[in-house]
Amino acid sequence: MKITGAKVFVGGPGKNYVTLKIMTDQGVYGLGDATLNNRETLPAKYLEDYLVPALIGMDPRNSEDIWQYLYRGAYFRRGPIAMAAFGAIDMALWDIKGKLANMPIYQLLGGKSREGAMVYAHATGADLEDLMESISYYLEQGYKAVRVQCGIPGMPSASYGVSETKGDVENYITDFSGIRPKVEIWDTDRYMRYMPGALAEIRARFGPDLKILHDVHHRLLPREAAEFAKAVEPVGLYWLEDPTPAEDQDALTLLRQHSTVPIAIGEVFNSIWDCNKLIEKELIDFIRVAVTYAGGITPVKRIVDLAGLHNVRTGFHGAPSHSPLSMAAQAQINAWAPNFGIQEYLVLGTPECDALFPSEHRLENGLFHVSDAPGLGVDFDEQEAERYRYKPGSHPIVRLEDGTLWNY
Ligand code: CS2
Ligand code: MG
């Protein structure tokens, strides 16, 4: 069996999805997602200029050897751009493998460990009152878990993950349009003084059953993260996410000495080497890698297995930057993984998105049910794709009040 060609598509409804389609001499094709938020054209170029030409003639069933070829063959290893490109190829090869076996990928991994995988939504509000309304909205939608982010009184601009507009409480997604990044101003002291109380009010309002997640988004120093984690311990969070930039894999040792709050880290990682110490030293409770950014199903399965040895559960990234293809790849792993925890899920199911990526995956009562169709269980409508083109976009950047560049 041979790969005969591949196409790369950039664009989608409201997002610059990067979709790879690999064709074979047996008519079976595979699909993969190479969407790297904020830098979408780069994995697309990497695929078109370097990787697609090299794939022609290879046997698509040899997904492990092809992954090693991509990773070791690059010489300069890792990095989000390369790993997103590898991730799309690996997803597409697993899609082909499942279609050849006439099985959904989760069967090839070891079958189902659960019927539905719990997901969490993004509740958000310009202030705490709006956030409470947003949480109620998602509870009415059947979610059992919500990430909560709200504006901080006195903060010079909207803090992470919240709208500046009062009342914007349903399906809010950060606006990344425009290539010149918006500048947001951050004040750690105001955040540290306000947020623990806000989280306690949410717990008091919604009771003990609500699974409450909160994303610090890399903004605290290790000592501040330890102080914050200690302050929020009584709230009983499901997890505290990215409390401090985790390239410093030892930074969490201090936090762990001061708090038992569950820690979730990993969305910015792109290889097992970015997180192996965090896992082996059990400094985290959830690993949040994304199948696209971390190089595909092949390497992410290794990370899941390493995490399982150390009682670390999965909590894959699922921001709107991920297309239904990578969400499907993660859903396949979520169905199988014995150490599954939770899946982040932002509303993808718009009519335009469903038209571009038809599938039978379904979300019901806060649980994601993976399709039993062979492979990833998602298709791609090339004609529909003709409607979309790349639109330049960029994250905001963050500065402290004195102008110091900080962590977005
Ligand atoms: C966030 C991400 O979903 C999350 O947990 O941290 O949405 C993040 O802000 C974006 O992926 C950045 O591109
Ligand atoms: Mg996050």
Side-chain angles (χ1 to χ4, degrees), residues 15 36-38 120 122 147 149 160-161 174 176 215 217-218 239 241-242 267-268 288 293 317-322 344 346 395 408:
K15 270 290 165 194
L36 175 61
N37 216 13
N38 221 30
Y120 71 89
H122 279 200
R147 186 189 84 168
Q149 308 294 134
Y160 166 68
T174 307
F176 291 161
D215 192 347
H217 220 253
H218 323 279
W239 83 31
E241 180 180 340
D242 285 328
E267 66 184 51
V268 295
R288 277 191 46 71
Y293 301 158
H317 191 223
S321 45
H322 297 291
E344 180 175 18
L346 276 86
H395 281 161
Y408 166 61

Side-chain angles (χ1 to χ4, degrees), residues 127-246:
D127 58 21
L128 187 55
E129 181 195 6
D130 269 12
L131 177 53
M132 297 288 195
E133 202 181 309
S134 186
I135 295 168
S136 301
Y137 166 75
Y138 286 106
L139 286 175
E140 284 151 26
Q141 304 289 313
Y143 288 90
K144 308 293 181 288
V146 286
R147 186 189 84 168
V148 298
Q149 308 294 134
C150 73
I152 309 289
M155 191 74 92
S157 54
S159 55
Y160 166 68
V162 303
S163 166
E164 283 165 327
T165 315
K166 206 52 191 127
D168 195 355
V169 298
E170 298 175 15
N171 305 323
Y172 169 77
I173 288 179
T174 307
D175 173 17
F176 291 161
S177 58
I179 197 66
R180 284 190 64 77
K182 205 171 85 181
V183 179
E184 294 179 352
I185 307 298
W186 172 256
D187 179 319
T188 293
D189 292 342
R190 283 196 176 92
Y191 172 79
M192 295 273 288
R193 285 197 299 267
Y194 179 78
M195 205 61 217
L199 291 169
E201 279 193 53
I202 292 166
R203 176 59 74 206
R205 170 81 69 88
F206 291 96
D209 294 339
L210 176 65
K211 290 175 173 53
I212 303 172
L213 300 79
H214 179 62
D215 192 347
V216 185
H217 220 253
H218 323 279
R219 299 205 175 174
L220 300 181
L221 299 171
R223 190 214 59 76
E224 293 164 341
E227 179 185 336
F228 187 86
K230 187 176 175 181
V232 300
E233 196 174 55
V235 177
L237 293 179
Y238 183 84
W239 83 31
L240 187 67
E241 180 180 340
D242 285 328
T244 189

Side-chain angles (χ1 to χ4, degrees), residues 75 91 95 105 133-134 186 188 264 374 400:
Y75 184 75
M91 261 181 254
D95 192 22
I105 290 169
E133 202 181 309
S134 186
W186 172 256
T188 293
L400 301 180

